[in-house]
Amino acid sequence: MPPAVWAEGWAVDVILVGTDDGLAPRSAAQIASQTERAIEQSSSLADSLSVVGPVYAPLYRDANAASDLLAAFKAYVDDHNRGRAFVIATDHPLPPEMLAPIMADETLRERFGGVLRLTRARGDSGLFASVAGAENSASDLLAYCPDRFTEAPACQPVVEIGRQDGMMIVSQEEPIGGDNLTGLKEWLEANVAKTAEPLGSLEEVEIIDIRRPGDTDAKRDAAEN
């Protein structure tokens, strides 16, 4: 478990959502094979993305991507995030349901560092619609990004990927995320309040009236009258 923001200050996590992590099996043997390859592929990319921070790569069912990715993101926020900043790395549009908690929680939105756009080095390096849906465009991502991002490219830096031994890897030499992630922790330190450490579970305490010997309810009632 990475250190919480209230323990060691600002740090950045990476949530990796790859197309190869979507499972669509028709048998137990297929789900075992797809799961093994998805974990291997995620691990290959995580080796490079870990320079940004710890990498979380949920598996999900292709047919239930929206609900599965929302559940995975909520589990990350509830159990693993602990006030840290985070970015999402993906090579395809994300279901809006997954990103809905960012829109609903301003404190979460402040800590969102944008989407790392994984794209082929020799392919189209232009922006894509990071949120799935016919009406969405690349600039729609800004609705999910904190106010410090005023242009879509700033909230969606390109990360070039290639292939090695049949697996996707980060192929660029320059720092991942470029200007988007450079200085992010310093910006957060200057502009965003850290989440406070949660209080532990409180025990119920019974308050007992302390009396002197011989001090009874009857004597108190008589004194009052």
Side-chain angles (χ1 to χ4, degrees):
M1 180 71 74
V5 68
W6 56 80
E8 296 190 15
W10 289 108
V12 182
D13 296 333
V14 180
I15 302 173
L16 172 61
V17 183
T19 50
D20 288 350
D21 295 337
L23 308 179
R26 292 186 296 273
S27 67
Q30 283 184 330
I31 194 170
S33 176
Q34 288 185 15
T35 299
E36 181 179 358
R37 178 170 178 80
I39 292 174
E40 187 178 1
Q41 174 60 87
S42 294
S43 298
S44 176
L45 277 173
D47 286 343
S48 299
L49 295 174
S50 63
V51 299
V52 177
V55 179
Y56 298 81
L59 300 179
Y60 58 93
R61 297 166 294 176
D62 268 345
N64 301 81
S67 60
D68 285 0
L69 286 172
L70 171 60
F73 183 64
K74 290 180 70 175
Y76 160 75
V77 171
D78 293 341
D79 301 329
H80 299 277
N81 174 258
R82 304 202 295 169
R84 295 159 62 90
F86 65 97
V87 295
I88 299 175
T90 186
D91 60 351
H92 66 288
L94 301 170
E97 291 86 350
M98 176 187 175
L99 303 178
I102 298 176
M103 293 291 285
D105 187 341
E106 180 61 27
T107 63
L108 197 62
R109 188 167 173 259
E110 286 180 330
R111 307 197 305 269
F112 179 39
V115 171
L116 301 180
R117 161 74 156 107
L118 307 178
T119 186
R120 304 288 181 186
R122 297 182 181 180
D124 179 11
S125 61
L127 297 174
F128 67 2
S130 295
V131 184
E135 301 301 321
N136 288 292
S137 66
S139 61
D140 288 332
L141 177 64
L142 285 175
Y144 298 87
C145 295
D147 294 337
R148 69 179 179 276
F149 297 122
T150 58
E151 297 182 2
C155 194
Q156 190 176 289
V158 168
V159 178
E160 294 182 354
I161 59 174
R163 288 272 180 180
Q164 185 177 71
D165 299 328
M167 293 290 166
M168 287 189 294
I169 61 168
V170 174
S171 60
Q172 68 182 46
E173 296 182 358
E174 58 266 26
I176 292 175
D179 293 339
N180 188 27
L181 295 186
T182 301
L184 174 59
K185 288 183 283 188
E186 288 78 7
W187 186 92
L188 290 166
E189 183 67 34
N191 295 278
V192 178
K194 296 184 181 71
T195 303
E197 182 175 5
L199 295 174
S201 58
L202 300 178
E203 296 182 2
E204 184 175 342
V205 177
E206 182 181 0
I207 299 178
I208 301 175
D209 188 14
I210 300 176
R211 302 182 182 184
R212 295 178 178 178
D215 186 3
T216 65
D217 289 339
K219 286 185 175 181
R220 290 192 174 192
D221 291 340
E224 291 177 358
N225 295 327

